[in-house]
Amino acid sequence: MKLTGVIPPVCTPLTPSFDVDGPSLTRLVDHLMDGGVDGLFVLGSSSEAAYLPDGHRRAVLDTVVGHVAGQVPVLAGVIDMTTLRVLDHVRAAVVAGVDGIVATAPFYARTHPAEIALHFRTIAEVAELPVYAYDLPVSVHTKLGRDLLLELASSGVLAGVKDSSGDDGGLRSLILSRPSSFSVLTGSEVTVDCALWMGADGVVPGLGNVDPHGYARLFAAARAGDWAAAKDEQERLINLFELVTVGLPRMGGGSSALGAFKAALHLRGVIDHPTTAVPQIPLNEEETRRVGKHLADAGLL
Amino acid sequence: MKLTGVIPPVCTPLTPSFDVDGPSLTRLVDHLMDGGVDGLFVLGSSSEAAYLPDGHRRAVLDTVVGHVAGQVPVLAGVIDMTTLRVLDHVRAAVVAGVDGIVATAPFYARTHPAEIALHFRTIAEVAELPVYAYDLPVSVHTKLGRDLLLELASSGVLAGVKDSSGDDGGLRSLILSRPSSFSVLTGSEVTVDCALWMGADGVVPGLGNVDPHGYARLFAAARAGDWAAAKDEQERLINLFELVTVGLPRMGGGSSALGAFKAALHLRGVIDHPTTAVPQIPLNEEETRRVGKHLADAGLL
Amino acid sequence: MKLTGVIPPVCTPLTPSFDVDGPSLTRLVDHLMDGGVDGLFVLGSSSEAAYLPDGHRRAVLDTVVGHVAGQVPVLAGVIDMTTLRVLDHVRAAVVAGVDGIVATAPFYARTHPAEIALHFRTIAEVAELPVYAYDLPVSVHTKLGRDLLLELASSGVLAGVKDSSGDDGGLRSLILSRPSSFSVLTGSEVTVDCALWMGADGVVPGLGNVDPHGYARLFAAARAGDWAAAKDEQERLINLFELVTVGLPRMGGGSSALGAFKAALHLRGVIDHPTTAVPQIPLNEEETRRVGKHLADAGLL
Amino acid sequence: MKLTGVIPPVCTPLTPSFDVDGPSLTRLVDHLMDGGVDGLFVLGSSSEAAYLPDGHRRAVLDTVVGHVAGQVPVLAGVIDMTTLRVLDHVRAAVVAGVDGIVATAPFYARTHPAEIALHFRTIAEVAELPVYAYDLPVSVHTKLGRDLLLELASSGVLAGVKDSSGDDGGLRSLILSRPSSFSVLTGSEVTVDCALWMGADGVVPGLGNVDPHGYARLFAAARAGDWAAAKDEQERLINLFELVTVGLPRMGGGSSALGAFKAALHLRGVIDHPTTAVPQIPLNEEETRRVGKHLADAGLL
């Protein structure tokens, strides 16, 4: 079955000592499912996967898969540098019972299209689950080319792609040339109505943690062909998305965005602590106050 | 004690099924120590650390630390994306009994100088061992600035740096302004005499796996002030270093270089298999033959 | 008056000896105006401005401004490295009688937001014409930030922007926060319906040289609210746009795209020679044949 | 005759209204020749060539060629985007009577090795003078590969290279494999003794404007085999070179470095105004005071 709809990358609530906060995580899952999402993507970039040790990752997998109990599909990121390391994460995810795997191109090591293809082929052989490519050049410094994706789609290696490249022209070209069973999901928060208009199947928005209802309404409007309503919802969410800048330039863009998502979830009463994993810089009081202002403006507080 | 001399990043021999080949690894360690090296750096980039699962990494640590038995210092790379993941590797390395830790800036995640500083501070607190910064922008896409390194040096966080940035001007500026106890090691294979001339303390050459005697002679000549001999040795090694290109452009630069190092070690009888970890593309017969030609030209076969 | 609609960057026909081919240029202008365009942008990147000496540029300005004779606005690119050099082009364009100026951020020289702002301010003071920023990071290696553009818009320096950054999220954020008089034009060939949907005012498509009627129909459909028709037209143009790849990887992306545009104009009988300026590599017969195939598939031959 | 020695890129003194300050320029030329330089490179990056209109460039060529009157070779930069534009500068330089041409790879336009080769070939055919490649990836975003340079050297297209890439490993590999008549000049200010040690023929240091005597002494010591003296001189110049940072981060690196060179020449009484071309940000009083401090520390004030 082709993956469609709103599949947020689930934030990973932490305790002040940087452990996984299980009760907050299950509340977050409830918040998302109440919001009407169609699936959950754990251990993605917005989940701070790059910051979580393997033990934390297993705790997240077990907590979410157990709590969701099959109500919606759960995809798991297997973010690591190269194949053998990724395969360890794949096996852990399979044991935990996830429904699909999301993997990037190799990173840190210098790579090559032939090596990227072998990487995905090897993952798919071991996973025996649908595998989605995660196209995230800002993190892995390689753009997955359309022709490579099409080759991996037609040979059954990949079930779809999460496109966080920001290249909407490339996204569209892929949409028009893919096999119909290949799922194309945009990782954009701010051009979702356009991506759906182009023919994308779904959206994986980090901001969907903060306002899942908004993205669910957007998707439903688009599916119903009510593009004006989709646009209104999208523009409201674009304004809300400004919260990702509250920490700049005192900290990096990751610290600011993930800190703001968690501060918003904390202010909305979903999670117990706004803690982000070290070495991210925490938001200060003033920055947190500005997150609250963005929530209020969006009608979320 | 300040780290000096030739400290090669030790290749990780693998079996054809991608397990750590322990007997080959101990022979490689003997080959390096017979070659006159002053220390060993395991789990660096030339060790395929980015390709090795945690179990492989532990096997390498145990094998090398056990076999070396204190004859020379053993440094361990703790290559991973961010702090908490790196700390797991630090703890494993400390348990294994290494003498120092080598860590990069955070990668994959978007970072910031304040976050990089906190990253190294946290690592140093947990390691309670000398920590060396690994400046490798080609992999982590951040250059460690001189002023950041000096601040971390003077506050006792860092014991030194392995500079693989290729920026010899920046290297020299750091050498001239560092505290005298701070060890500066170049990761270059081809400008070692120059780096030592500038005042660098040592060298961490991937090619040192293939020809440790050469780098030991180069270092000894430089220490003795016989710069003409150092230069002759360096130029011989530069010619040998051409072997890293044998696989281009059929594969990536990593596959070609690491494949050539291992093919050379195999041809020299040091390791049993030239296998590199998936998804690297293996050298073919013709490429391997060209590696042999380079070895013969350098008097190593 | 705010600039809107289809404003193609006009190709510069050349003779085989690399002179400006005036008769072909006027036929091209007629072809574009017959196609229903709303303005013309000469001396942009698709015009090979980077390849044209100042004498060529003046010939283009004089030919086009003279031939258009005020029927539609003519904008002139003033592509050069920094301010004083750009000002020479501005003066030539003003003398020729253009209606607006299109300028990039400084390039080649290392720059800074404060320097970019001063650059545009100085240009606007001298031009005494509407100035449009040309956001083209692939060429100038700087992205014009939203806040910088808004500051230059609100202070009257800039009349609009041509966004060729490919960052549709950033484009949208700019659209939602700009003063209403500030014209936002997309340089994309393939997401034009989306850009118009987001609120963009117009489009500057290189492919519009080949098929101006297509882009004019697309724009008219969008203005009429017939988004389904706009999408059909866009998807036809996306297929046509594949012609830009015919020369790859034997040559660079610029040679391939500009060579294909000119080959198409030659095959369609608009210009006399498909010549592109040295050192671009000319398309060969087979590549030209494939351009013809794309034209036929799009119903243009 | 092969080009060797110290060939500084000559700063271009400007009046406060941004005209070429001829009397200051001839004093600067005298200052450099008194300093013992072996040639002059006008219209390079340190000459603000990217900032100078064609009229300014001609004034510089005429002033310097006329004043030098054949005492040392004068090379001229022909910095522009692509071939036909560069050829206009080549012709102007030939008319002015220079002894050699310095050209970069194409920039702004997307390029390709085959196009770069054709670019240099075309320039060499028109120039009928020795042509030197200017390898400056920080400005043109392409690194000239060793094999391309060797091919252009052996076919007589290029007489040498000015390497400002900062890649001293690549520089050395080129030195060891070039034809003996091919001149290799480093653009580094801070690793000159090393470059000469590796076999480079000369140096083109921007800082040589401020202290030509220092670079002349460095070169003479290296030629005499007194490497310890060369190193002492180099280390003194490294400390002086810190003046390029006085304006950071209030302005870009170009504004800061070129502003500091000119402030130093003004403080030393060589030029009448420290003016740099718009849109560079001028140094303020405090920044200028710090330039003076660096001069005093280096014994130059």
Side-chain angles (χ1 to χ4, degrees), chain D residues 158-203:
Chain D
L158 291 180
V161 65
K162 182 204 164 186
D163 182 335
S164 295
S165 72
D167 173 11
D168 282 356
L171 177 71
R172 189 169 208 169
S173 171
L174 176 66
I175 289 170
L176 293 176
S177 47
R178 69 176 157 161
S180 63
S181 62
F182 185 80
S183 179
V184 176
L185 311 170
T186 178
S188 173
E189 271 92 356
V190 294
T191 59
V192 178
D193 53 344
C194 292
L196 297 174
W197 172 255
M198 291 177 186
D201 302 291
V203 55

Side-chain angles (χ1 to χ4, degrees), chain A residues 168 191-199 227, chain C residues 172 194-195 197-198:
Chain A
D168 281 357
T191 59
V192 178
D193 54 343
C194 293
L196 297 174
W197 172 255
M198 291 176 185
W227 293 99
Chain C
R172 189 170 208 168
C194 292
W197 173 256
M198 291 176 186

Side-chain angles (χ1 to χ4, degrees), chain D residues 44-292:
Chain D
S45 299
S46 295
S47 318
E48 297 173 82
Y51 296 91
L52 301 181
D54 289 359
H56 289 57
R57 293 187 181 198
R58 281 190 298 271
V60 167
L61 287 169
D62 290 343
T63 302
V64 173
V65 171
H67 192 69
V68 168
Q71 299 171 75
V72 296
V74 176
L75 310 185
V78 289
I79 310 301
D80 217 318
M81 292 170 257
T82 64
T83 314
L84 296 178
R85 292 186 63 82
V86 168
L87 291 181
D88 277 1
H89 299 294
V90 169
R91 290 186 194 100
V94 169
V95 165
V98 304
D99 304 289
I101 294 292
V102 184
T104 69
F107 54 93
Y108 185 91
R110 288 176 287 168
T111 192
H112 183 276
E115 300 169 20
I116 295 171
L118 179 57
H119 178 69
F120 283 118
R121 281 182 201 287
T122 309
I123 291 168
E125 275 167 25
V126 170
E128 298 187 338
L129 279 178
V131 174
Y132 300 86
Y134 194 173
D135 192 16
L136 189 65
V138 72
S139 287
V140 307
H141 302 278
T142 302
K143 171 86 181 87
L144 296 175
R146 183 193 64 172
D147 293 348
L148 177 63
L149 288 172
L150 291 176
E151 172 202 322
L152 294 171
S154 65
S155 58
V157 171
L158 291 180
V161 65
K162 182 204 164 186
D163 182 335
S164 295
S165 72
D167 173 11
D168 282 356
L171 177 71
R172 189 169 208 169
S173 171
L174 176 66
I175 289 170
L176 293 176
S177 47
R178 69 176 157 161
S180 63
S181 62
F182 185 80
S183 179
V184 176
L185 311 170
T186 178
S188 173
E189 271 92 356
V190 294
T191 59
V192 178
D193 53 344
C194 292
L196 297 174
W197 172 255
M198 291 177 186
D201 302 291
V203 55
V204 187
L207 186 65
N209 284 279
V210 179
D211 190 4
H213 301 80
Y215 282 100
R217 284 192 300 264
L218 197 175
F219 186 77
R223 272 298 141 102
D226 186 352
W227 293 99
K231 187 183 178 191
D232 285 348
E233 196 66 48
Q234 178 64 88
E235 294 187 353
R236 191 184 61 81
L237 290 163
I238 289 170
N239 287 330
L240 176 61
F241 192 58
E242 287 287 312
L243 55 73
V244 299
T245 66
V246 296
L248 303 179
R250 193 174 70 86
M251 61 188 70
S255 290
S256 180
L258 298 177
F261 290 166
K262 285 188 155 177
L265 287 168
H266 184 235
L267 290 168
R268 296 198 74 190
V270 178
I271 67 176
D272 284 342
H273 313 283
T275 307
T276 52
V278 65
Q280 292 172 92
I281 305 295
L283 299 188
N284 61 27
E285 274 187 43
E286 163 60 16
E287 290 154 354
T288 301
R289 200 193 54 73
R290 287 167 56 204
V291 170

